[in-house]
């Protein structure tokens, strides 16, 4: 799923996952590709993008690129099974996570066209016992993530333990239906897996079939999607890929979850080829009519008139100024993304069997789509700049009243850190010009007539419009590291639940105190007192709270002006 079944890294929620392993070597036998002759101008460019994103000796990705009715490229890079050293092949089957939502949304529109429901029907028409807490919640609110219902994947502890339990649809709904509403329906947009679970229940109620049966009989079979499935651990699925969590350096087998839980919000499996067939059928009117498709691909308007950037099961954005219809998925062991440029009839699907922080199907998908649209994102090659020049950029750059971007230099390397975000290394490609690896963003420093650096122009997500941040007189925060007796670290060791599905593990490594989110890389906690520490990579402070009896059961994390309390698991 895009948000609920995503991984958490030091209180930064990645909504569709980011993330690929860098390959420092050449191609090997773990690369498989095929393409039509007319695609030849793009093949080298596509393969260069994949070589930068995915190692041949680690989890990787399958990719398909179509333009009109032609397959421009179909290939795979990386390993499908690390333990057996099995390479990925283009027709292998992945969990697609929240890409499932567009199938659920299309199923609802099919039932609308059948005259069996209306988008403005209240959900109690189909689920009469659902407690709406004196609100009018419509089918459309569920489709657009504007219902105000709490997403069950945000319920404290759910993603730690309950996610492993096999549940019926009714049991799944029972788990969240009595939780307080987060806002009035139509008032806000907040990505919501509960809403899509309720849509699945409505499909079953109206059609008289299970969700699995409906999707199989009304979509998969008619469209010839022979390698697409409703997820199951027991079902034998030919060419199913194994999924991996963990850091790029230390991948781990994906943690277990019951596939009854993602349900109509994220339980489908498919291949890049089947997804290309699906996209072609959807946008050529073979699934729903043009009126229904227009509703699915038009940003929903909130009650205050503002647009959300999301239709029904599909997001609406742009790639280099070209309109894009897209959606991603993040589920234990897998990250996925599909991008469609309707003006060019270009579709790109990237399915990865990794949730590694580097392996980012969204970036790869958008970069390939822009390449085939003949409007590629800028490509940069790192150069060296003298240390004295790098020092000229150090400072705090103000974006608005609440937001800054801090530039620092450490060991001859330049880093930027936006308020509330992670510290990222940036690489120079020309005087005053920098880029990030595995990202579409890049930036440049601005000088005045006297040659002094006065501002920074950032091009977020590789867009053509710059975000200007003015250099201030502020200096980056310099925290003083103090010496403490490392034996006190023994008191802090343990697991702390910081948020729904988020466990921070504190451990001692000799004279160092380390912290990490399960399956992720460890980061060192640097002491400023015996109980206070900071993590430079994410600009966060941690304070271990001692009880009257001297025990430590609480840690408080301060970050971007907010505090989050973690409670030690017993």
């Amino acid at each position: 799923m895009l948000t609920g079944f995503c991984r958490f890294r030091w209180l930064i929620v990645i909504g569709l996952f980011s993330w690929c392993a860098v390959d420092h070597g050449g191609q090997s036998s773990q690369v498989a590709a095929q393409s039509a002759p007319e695609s030849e101008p793009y093949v080298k460019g596509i393969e260069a993008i994949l070589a930068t994103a995915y190692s041949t000796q680690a989890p990787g990705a399958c990719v398909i690129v179509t333009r009109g009715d032609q397959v421009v490229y179909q290939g795979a890079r990386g390993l499908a099974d690390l333990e057996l050293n099995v390479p990925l092949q283009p027709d292998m089957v992945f969990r697609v996570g929240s890409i499932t939502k567009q199938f659920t949304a299309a199923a609802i529109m099919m039932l609308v066209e059948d005259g069996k429901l209306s988008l403005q029907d209240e959900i109690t028409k189909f689920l009469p016992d659902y407690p709406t807490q004196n609100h009018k919640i419509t089918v459309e609110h569920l489709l657009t993530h504007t219902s105000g219902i709490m997403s069950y994947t945000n319920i404290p502890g759910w993603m730690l333990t309950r996610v492993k339990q096999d549940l019926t649809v009714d049991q799944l709904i029972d788990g969240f239906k009595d939780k307080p509403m987060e806002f009035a329906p139509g008032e806000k947009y907040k990505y919501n897996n509960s809403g899509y679970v309720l849509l699945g229940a409505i499909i079953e109620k109206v059609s008289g079939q299970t969700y699995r049966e409906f999707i199989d009989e009304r979509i998969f079979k008619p469209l010839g999607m022979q390698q697409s499935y409703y997820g199951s651990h027991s079902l034998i699925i030919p060419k199913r890929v194994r999924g991996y969590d963990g850091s790029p350096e230390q991948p781990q087998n994906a943690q277990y979850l019951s596939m009854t839980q993602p349900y109509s919000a994220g339980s489908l499996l498919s291949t890049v080829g089947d997804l290309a067939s699906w996209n072609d059928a959807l946008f050529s009117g073979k699934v729903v009519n043009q009126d229904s498709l227009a509703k699915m691909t038009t940003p929903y308007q909130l009650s205050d008139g503002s647009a959300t950037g999301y239709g029904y099961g599909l997001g609406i954005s742009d790639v280099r100024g070209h309109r894009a219809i897209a959606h991603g998925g993040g589920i234990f062991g897998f990250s996925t993304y599909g991008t469609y440029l309707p003006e060019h009839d270009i579709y790109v699907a990237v399915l990865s069997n990794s949730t590694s922080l580097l392996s980012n199907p969204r970036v790869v998908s958008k970069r390939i789509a822009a390449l085939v649209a003949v409007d590629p994102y800028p490509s940069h090659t790192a150069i060296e700049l003298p240390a004295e020049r790098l020092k000229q950029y150090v400072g705090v750059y103000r974006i608005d009243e609440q937001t800054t971007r801090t530039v620092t230099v450490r060991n001859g390397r330049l880093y930027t850190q936006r308020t509330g975000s992670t510290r990222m290394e940036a690489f120079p490609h020309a005087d005053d010009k920098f880029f990030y690896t595995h990202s579409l963003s890049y930036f440049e420093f601005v000088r005045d007539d006297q040659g002094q650096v006065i501002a920074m122009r950032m091009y977020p997500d590789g867009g053509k419009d710059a975000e200007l941040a003015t250099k201030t007189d502020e200096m980056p925060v310099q925290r003083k590291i103090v010496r403490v007796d490392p034996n006190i670290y023994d008191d802090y060791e343990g697991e702390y639940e910081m948020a729904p599905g988020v466990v921070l593990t504190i451990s001692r490594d000799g004279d160092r105190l380390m912290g990490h989110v399960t399956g992720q890389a460890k980061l060192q906690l640097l002491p400023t007192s015996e109980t206070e520490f900071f993590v430079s990579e994410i600009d966060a402070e941690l304070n271990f709270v001692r009880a009257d009896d001297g025990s430590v059961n609480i840690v408080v994390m301060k970050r971007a002006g907010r505090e989050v309390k973690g409670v030690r698991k017993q």
Side-chain angles (χ1 to χ4, degrees):
M1 299 182 187
L2 190 63
T3 304
F5 282 93
C6 64
R7 301 291 296 167
F8 173 92
R9 306 176 198 280
W10 289 95
L11 297 185
I12 299 170
V13 177
I14 307 288
L16 234 38
F17 282 13
S18 10
W19 332 263
C20 62
V22 183
D23 180 23
H24 297 289
Q27 286 192 338
S28 74
S29 60
Q30 278 71 38
V31 181
Q34 59 191 68
S35 56
E38 56 272 15
S39 68
E40 191 171 329
Y42 306 107
V43 170
K44 288 186 178 180
I46 293 170
E47 291 188 340
I49 292 170
L50 297 180
T52 301
Y54 302 106
S55 167
T56 57
Q57 301 302 316
C62 289
V63 178
I64 194 167
V65 185
T66 64
R67 185 176 55 189
D69 59 358
Q70 299 294 319
V71 175
V72 173
Y73 181 89
Q74 184 171 1
R77 184 179 177 89
L79 295 174
D81 189 310
L82 299 186
E83 293 167 333
L84 298 177
N85 198 37
V86 174
L88 283 166
Q89 296 295 329
D91 60 348
M92 286 184 168
V93 177
F94 294 70
R95 291 180 186 171
V96 300
S98 278
I99 288 178
T100 298
K101 288 181 171 68
Q102 59 197 265
F103 290 87
T104 300
I108 288 290
M109 299 312 294
M110 294 167 80
L111 292 170
V112 169
E113 293 177 14
D114 291 344
K116 294 184 177 180
L117 60 81
S118 166
L119 294 173
Q120 302 312 315
D121 283 339
E122 293 190 51
I123 64 173
T124 48
K125 178 177 179 180
F126 313 103
L127 308 171
D129 296 329
Y130 192 87
T132 58
Q133 304 174 41
N134 298 316
H135 290 286
K136 179 183 178 181
I137 305 174
T138 67
V139 172
E140 188 172 43
H141 288 140
L142 303 181
L143 286 165
T144 55
H145 302 291
T146 60
S147 69
I149 294 170
M150 179 181 289
S151 183
Y152 67 102
T153 49
N154 290 338
I155 296 174
W158 191 293
M159 299 298 286
L160 292 174
T161 56
R162 194 167 186 185
V163 73
K164 300 175 183 179
Q165 301 172 7
D166 291 337
L167 300 178
T168 66
V169 176
D170 287 342
Q171 289 172 333
L172 188 54
I173 294 173
D174 286 344
F176 63 78
K177 70 180 183 182
D178 293 320
K179 298 298 181 183
M181 293 281 289
E182 296 189 302
F183 51 84
E187 183 180 276
K188 298 179 181 179
Y189 168 92
K190 187 174 182 181
Y191 195 87
N192 191 315
N193 290 310
S194 294
Y196 271 76
V197 165
L198 293 173
L199 289 170
I202 290 171
I203 290 168
E204 294 194 354
K205 181 77 171 182
V206 172
S207 69
Q209 298 176 290
T210 66
Y211 176 80
R212 180 201 303 254
E213 290 168 344
F214 187 94
I215 297 298
D216 191 50
E217 293 182 16
R218 294 289 299 269
I219 296 178
F220 289 165
K221 288 181 179 177
L223 298 183
M225 298 173 65
Q226 297 180 4
Q227 289 184 282
S228 297
Y229 309 86
Y230 184 91
S232 167
H233 288 289
S234 59
L235 184 67
I236 300 300
I237 297 178
K239 300 188 178 182
R240 189 206 308 239
V241 170
R242 294 198 66 168
Y244 297 92
D245 296 325
S247 67
E249 299 80 14
Q250 293 181 311
Q252 300 175 354
N253 289 317
Q255 62 177 301
Y256 178 84
L257 82 158
S258 167
M259 292 306 289
T260 65
Q261 296 227 10
Y263 184 47
S264 46
S267 276
L268 297 185
L269 283 70
S270 193
T271 64
V272 291
D274 271 8
L275 289 180
S277 297
W278 156 254
N279 190 78
D280 177 69
L282 180 64
F283 284 92
S284 62
K286 297 175 183 177
V287 179
V288 296
N289 63 36
Q290 290 304 308
D291 181 61
S292 295
L293 182 62
K295 288 185 171 68
M296 291 179 66
T297 56
T298 299
Y300 181 74
Q301 286 193 342
L302 299 174
S303 53
D304 65 2
S306 60
T308 63
Y310 197 95
Y312 303 166
L314 290 164
I316 298 89
S317 58
D318 74 273
V319 170
R320 300 282 292 163
H322 306 275
R323 185 169 183 260
I325 311 298
H327 211 289
I331 193 167
F332 295 170
F334 297 85
S335 50
T336 63
Y337 208 82
T339 302
Y340 179 60
L341 306 185
E343 299 168 13
H344 304 274
D345 200 11
I346 292 170
Y347 178 70
V348 182
V350 180
L351 303 181
S352 174
N353 61 331
S354 170
T355 58
S356 159
L357 182 63
L358 293 178
S359 144
N360 190 338
R362 175 182 172 275
V363 169
V364 173
S365 176
K366 295 182 74 170
R367 195 176 287 281
I368 292 174
L371 173 70
V372 180
V374 199
D375 189 7
Y377 287 94
S379 179
H380 303 114
T381 301
I383 64 170
E384 294 289 335
L385 287 181
E388 288 303 313
R389 189 169 189 86
L390 291 179
K391 291 179 181 178
Q392 298 174 13
Y393 307 130
V394 172
V396 178
Y397 297 75
R398 183 154 296 280
I399 300 168
D400 55 40
E401 290 184 3
Q402 290 78 38
T403 315
T404 62
R405 184 173 284 107
T406 300
V407 177
T408 56
V409 174
R410 300 185 184 187
N411 301 319
R413 297 177 181 274
L414 186 140
Y415 298 86
T416 72
Q417 190 162 37
R418 185 184 174 102
T419 301
S421 188
T422 56
R423 188 182 72 187
M424 296 178 62
E425 184 176 0
F427 300 85
H429 64 92
D431 282 348
D432 299 341
K433 297 184 178 182
F434 291 77
F435 70 101
Y436 305 101
T437 58
H438 309 296
S439 170
L440 299 173
S441 299
Y442 56 94
F443 63 93
E444 61 188 15
F445 291 100
V446 180
R447 296 180 182 269
D448 61 16
D449 293 340
Q450 286 72 47
Q452 299 298 310
V453 176
I454 60 171
M456 173 197 290
R457 290 195 192 97
M458 174 68 69
Y459 295 86
D461 212 27
K464 297 180 180 180
D465 296 324
E467 170 192 86
L468 183 66
T470 303
K471 191 175 185 181
T472 71
D473 294 330
E474 304 169 72
M475 290 302 294
V477 175
Q478 298 291 329
R479 296 184 176 91
K480 183 178 180 181
I481 302 173
V482 301
R483 288 182 177 274
V484 299
D485 181 356
N487 289 322
I488 65 173
Y489 297 163
D490 296 340
D491 296 340
Y492 306 149
E493 286 192 305
E495 295 183 338
Y496 300 80
E497 185 171 4
M498 306 297 294
V502 181
V503 173
L504 173 62
T505 300
I506 303 297
S507 60
R508 180 179 175 181
D509 181 9
D511 291 344
R512 300 188 303 166
L513 188 65
M514 310 296 292
H516 76 282
V517 176
T518 304
Q520 307 306 318
K522 291 182 179 180
L523 300 178
Q524 184 176 4
L525 312 186
L526 301 170
T528 56
S529 76
E530 287 191 347
T531 58
E532 298 172 310
F533 298 77
F534 71 94
V535 186
S536 59
E537 289 87 349
I538 62 170
D539 193 24
E541 299 174 1
L542 284 84
N543 181 22
F544 292 93
V545 181
R546 286 192 180 274
D548 292 340
D549 63 1
S551 63
V552 176
N553 294 306
I554 292 174
V555 62
V556 178
M557 177 179 283
K558 298 179 181 179
R559 187 167 183 270
R562 294 179 296 171
E563 291 189 1
V564 178
K565 182 172 72 173
V567 179
R568 184 194 291 269
K569 294 176 63 181
Q570 301 301 323

